Amino acid sequence: MRVQSLSIVAARAALLAPTTLPAAEPPRPRQEPPARSAGAVRASDLLARARGCERVSRGRYRPDAGAPATIPVCALPGAVYWKADMDIDCDGRPTRRCNRRTDPYFSPAAAHAQSDGRRLNAERLPYIVLPAPSRIWNHRARGLGGGSVAAVVYRGRVQYAVVGDYGPRDIIGEASYATARRLGIPADPHHGGVRSGVTYIVFEDSRISRIEDHAAAVAQGQRLARRLVAASAVPAG
């Protein structure tokens, strides 16, 4: 997240700085709709389901520290969703574009690790960030945690990702460098992201055993997205 707790900042300061040098943000990908495989769910189909809000969170989240708390977590059949901004998370394995020089809040350890114990690679792995459990909302009560599958929607694009990290208890709306890049969102961890327009849908009881297996996350995400769109029940607004 843009603003970190003092304990997180202190812990990061104790770790060695990465040896990799920063690189300029590469050109953004052309804004062309990606090719869709047969049976792929369109962004518009998912957004049609994410209307109104049957709230599952007790309160609302802030998009950034100091901002008004306006974002609820809402229920869908077999999933939850929220509409927010996107801040860029570069935490995990130091890489060319994700390190302490490119990201002032960089941490070399995300909340979850790969199945082989190595750190997550935010530059390559699409993942999202959940707020830490609190009185506002506890994601564990909905069967969500590390490796849960998510569909992130922005401007006609759908990107499947996993839950890979946790952020402050009162802030929501963050995803990895790779997630942003694949959605055409500026991914620079310091100045990138977007202020609004991102819909996050996280599927309940959908964990991928090998969190780094993006192909498995996409396959499961597509299956669950089709089931969500086909569901007849629509939550009341």
Side-chain angles (χ1 to χ4, degrees):
M1 272 294 168
R2 300 270 183 194
V3 177
Q4 304 290 333
S5 68
L6 293 177
S7 61
I8 294 175
V9 173
R12 291 176 179 178
L15 296 166
L16 294 176
T19 58
T20 52
L21 295 176
E25 175 75 7
R28 292 178 61 186
R30 295 176 63 186
Q31 298 296 312
E32 297 177 352
R36 292 189 292 114
S37 59
V41 175
R42 297 176 300 180
S44 58
D45 294 331
L46 289 171
L47 293 178
R49 298 312 315 262
R51 291 177 178 172
C53 180
E54 180 184 340
R55 198 167 79 183
V56 297
S57 58
R58 292 184 178 181
R60 298 173 185 264
Y61 287 95
R62 306 174 190 276
D64 292 292
T70 59
I71 304 168
V73 177
C74 310
L76 286 171
V80 298
Y81 79 92
W82 57 91
K83 298 183 178 183
D85 63 340
M86 181 182 286
D87 291 333
I88 308 303
D89 190 324
C90 250
D91 294 347
R93 190 184 317 168
T95 65
R96 186 182 179 190
R97 297 186 177 94
C98 286
N99 59 69
R100 193 171 276 124
R101 288 190 176 92
T102 61
D103 182 359
Y105 301 117
F106 176 78
S107 170
H112 297 281
Q114 295 185 169
S115 59
D116 60 4
R118 299 180 68 194
R119 302 167 184 173
L120 296 185
N121 186 334
E123 186 178 330
R124 293 184 177 274
L125 179 67
Y127 70 74
I128 68 167
V129 180
L130 292 182
S134 70
R135 289 183 295 178
I136 300 176
W137 180 54
N138 185 348
H139 59 266
R140 297 168 185 159
R142 306 289 297 197
L144 306 179
S148 292
V149 178
V152 189
V153 184
Y154 179 73
R155 290 190 176 180
R157 294 180 177 224
V158 179
Q159 176 59 54
Y160 294 101
V162 291
V163 172
D165 205 357
Y166 301 124
R169 295 179 177 180
D170 62 340
I171 296 176
I172 204 167
E174 186 174 13
S176 69
Y177 181 103
T179 307
R181 284 284 297 166
R182 293 183 182 218
L183 287 169
I185 293 172
D188 179 86
H190 196 188
H191 301 292
V194 289
R195 294 186 177 183
S196 63
V198 184
T199 300
Y200 302 78
I201 301 172
V202 192
F203 301 101
E204 299 171 357
D205 302 313
S206 63
R207 297 189 187 188
I208 298 297
S209 59
R210 297 177 64 249
I211 195 170
E212 70 275 16
D213 190 347
H214 181 56
V218 171
Q220 184 153 316
Q222 290 177 337
R223 177 178 62 81
L224 293 171
R226 287 193 294 269
R227 186 172 72 181
L228 173 63
V229 169
S232 58
V234 178

